[in-house]
Amino acid sequence: MMLNRTLWALTLRHPLRLCGTTVLLMLGAGTYLAQAWFTAHALAALVAGRGQAALGLLGGIVAVAVLRVLVNLVQAQVASGLGTAVRVRLRRELAAAALSPGRLHDASERAGVARLTITDGIDGVDVYVSKYVGHVLQVFMLCPTILVAIALLNPWLAVVLGSCLAVAVLAPRLWHRVLRRRGTIHWDSYERLAADFLESLQGMKTLRLIGAVGRTRSRLGGRSDELHRATVATMRTSLFDTALVDLAIQAGIVCAAAAAVLAATGTGQPTADVYLLLLLSSELFRPIRELSRHWHAGYLGLSAVAGIEALRGGTAAAPPANPGVPGTALVTITEVAFGYTEGSPVLRGATCTLRPGAITALTGPSGAGKSTLFDLILGYLQPESGTISVAGHGAGAAHVSVVSQHSYLFSGSVRDNLAVASPGAPDADLHAAARAAGIHEEILAMPGGYDAELAEGGDSLSGGQKQRLSVARALLADRPVLLLDEPTSALNDALARQLMTALQSVARTKVVLMIAHRTETLDYAGRVLHLDGGRLAEVVVADHDVPVRA
């Protein structure tokens, strides 16, 4: 029962909240000590036949109990605030790390592992920080204080109880390495199951097509059994830990009871000090019992430390911003070279400047590097040489809206799926974006209109509807640069004309760069760039012989 260095460092980033929850814990513990004092003197008064004095002391017990309830309520809120602060900050950091360019293009990275760490792992950290950390501090501050008070009443008992306390606190460290190793095995098993499960869900259509559902089910069952075995092994070690702690506590309580009996032997009646000795001995171990309980509650967060450290280690530093005027709707690409493997360049000295005024179409054969250029503008990839400036800043997604070939919609209402691009946007803005994308009337025709519920991935919509919702969401984000990867691929001619006309209007004030795989979309472009062999060149818009397909 010790503090993990990584989780302790995360907690120390919020010192005021940590001090607040610790002080309130100490105040709550102080009410137990006050209650012990009142109870000891009340019992002594009753035995001595002083009923009136006992009633007065009983009133003190009630008052202290009420005070403790109030202190515990406030402490729970402050501790919850501490856990929430750590959780929110850590989740933001890990989300940024998961979206770093290196991880996005690393084929060995498994989305299910990152998802598990960012969700369940950080939720476990919340419990660990809000429940366990404060009680560790309480143990090391309160228990020595109580032990000193016991020593004033019975020095020899204090020595015995101090030994029992040391066993309860330090003995579990003897197999700390075993527990940490089993915790790592448990978390690794959890990660493998989460990753396999998510990948199976994402590829369910393919699994059905190739008849691999049964094999996948068997593999997931094996992963589940593996996690079960790891969990049971961890629980066995944890139970041994709990048994030893309880043994030390019970030994201390028995010794205190024996000392009280010896102190009362030969006296006419037990004194208040004898009762107080018994009650203080019990209070000495209360923080240990609470600490053990909260350790088990926060164990998932402790197990997730390895995953958190691995994900935090992948955080990429933001590229330095290029000089420019903040907010300028301008994309400047200067002598950019990039290749995924050495000796196989995808881009060779690509140079161009994109301005508002008209749609810019990007053409070229499949594999020429069009999507790579998008990733470079978004900052997901870093050029080997050359520079990219987006809206007066370095390359990055902060000033860019993207509509990819695959529409990413989640389970929720149409309104939720749109508003995620601009939280708090009024309905008028949602309607204007949807109208520009040519989807407004179809949304109104749905049961519930903008409050109509969508299936996960937008599976309840047609391909064209999903594509136009994605375009509407990008327009609602209202960023100075808009990147589109074949936005009309799932649309019929009439809807494609409507969308392209809307994009022409958007391009008057924003940079609109569109990958074109349909020749007819070039009619709406004011400028055409052709990418082939790593070279980026501008072509005459009127030249309809521009090769746009693979």
Side-chain angles (χ1 to χ4, degrees), residues 164-485:
C164 293
L165 182 66
V167 171
V169 173
L170 300 177
R173 297 290 296 176
L174 296 176
W175 59 90
H176 173 69
R177 292 183 179 179
V178 174
L179 191 58
R180 183 173 58 185
R181 184 172 65 252
R182 290 190 174 178
T184 300
I185 294 173
H186 174 266
W187 182 255
D188 289 345
S189 302
Y190 199 5
E191 282 186 336
R192 286 190 288 270
L193 175 60
D196 285 354
F197 183 71
L198 180 60
E199 290 166 4
S200 299
L201 286 179
Q202 292 174 335
M204 184 56 67
K205 292 181 180 179
T206 302
L207 293 175
R208 287 174 177 170
L209 287 173
I210 64 176
V213 173
R215 294 195 302 274
T216 302
R217 185 185 297 115
S218 298
R219 186 176 74 253
L220 290 176
R223 293 296 194 199
S224 180
D225 292 341
E226 179 186 359
L227 176 60
H228 174 72
R229 290 191 295 270
T231 302
V232 171
T234 302
M235 289 177 62
R236 286 173 181 167
T237 305
S238 181
L239 287 173
F240 186 61
D241 175 300
T242 302
L244 188 55
V245 171
D246 287 344
L247 180 62
I249 291 174
Q250 295 305 320
I253 297 298
V254 169
C255 291
V261 170
L262 291 176
T265 301
T267 61
Q269 57 195 21
T271 64
D273 287 350
V274 173
Y275 292 118
L276 185 59
L277 192 66
L278 278 172
L279 294 171
L280 287 179
S281 299
S282 177
E283 292 302 324
L284 175 67
F285 295 105
R286 180 188 297 276
I288 303 296
R289 289 192 292 267
E290 292 180 347
L291 182 66
S292 180
R293 175 165 53 89
H294 292 307
W295 184 88
H296 290 290
Y299 181 73
L300 182 62
L302 190 63
S303 300
V305 168
I308 291 171
E309 289 178 337
L311 200 52
R312 290 178 82 195
T315 305
N322 292 335
V325 180
T328 302
L330 193 72
V331 176
T332 303
I333 302 171
T334 307
E335 294 294 330
V336 168
F338 177 82
Y340 291 101
T341 59
E342 188 176 353
S344 300
V346 177
L347 296 177
R348 306 168 185 261
T351 298
C352 69
T353 299
L354 307 176
R355 295 183 176 86
I359 296 173
T360 299
L362 179 61
T363 67
S366 180
K370 301 183 295 296
S371 297
T372 298
L373 183 59
F374 272 26
D375 285 347
L376 287 163
I377 294 173
L378 288 164
Y380 294 159
L381 297 174
Q382 300 301 315
E384 296 173 358
S385 62
T387 60
I388 297 178
S389 173
V390 178
H393 301 271
H399 305 285
V400 183
S401 295
V402 183
V403 179
S404 66
Q405 285 186 337
H406 304 286
S407 302
Y408 296 98
L409 301 175
F410 54 86
S411 178
S413 67
V414 173
R415 187 187 310 277
D416 292 338
N417 274 274
L418 291 175
V420 71
S422 182
D427 284 353
D429 290 352
L430 267 68
H431 296 172
R435 192 174 287 109
I439 189 68
H440 176 67
E441 297 300 330
E442 293 179 49
I443 293 175
L444 294 181
M446 297 177 185
Y450 278 82
D451 293 317
E453 291 292 319
L454 302 182
E456 182 68 34
D459 287 346
S460 54
L461 302 176
S462 69
Q465 288 174 325
K466 289 191 287 186
Q467 196 167 37
R468 282 175 287 154
L469 271 181
S470 297
V471 172
R473 183 165 57 192
L475 296 177
L476 185 64
D478 195 27
R479 293 176 180 173
V481 179
L482 177 60
L483 304 181
L484 305 106
D485 189 351

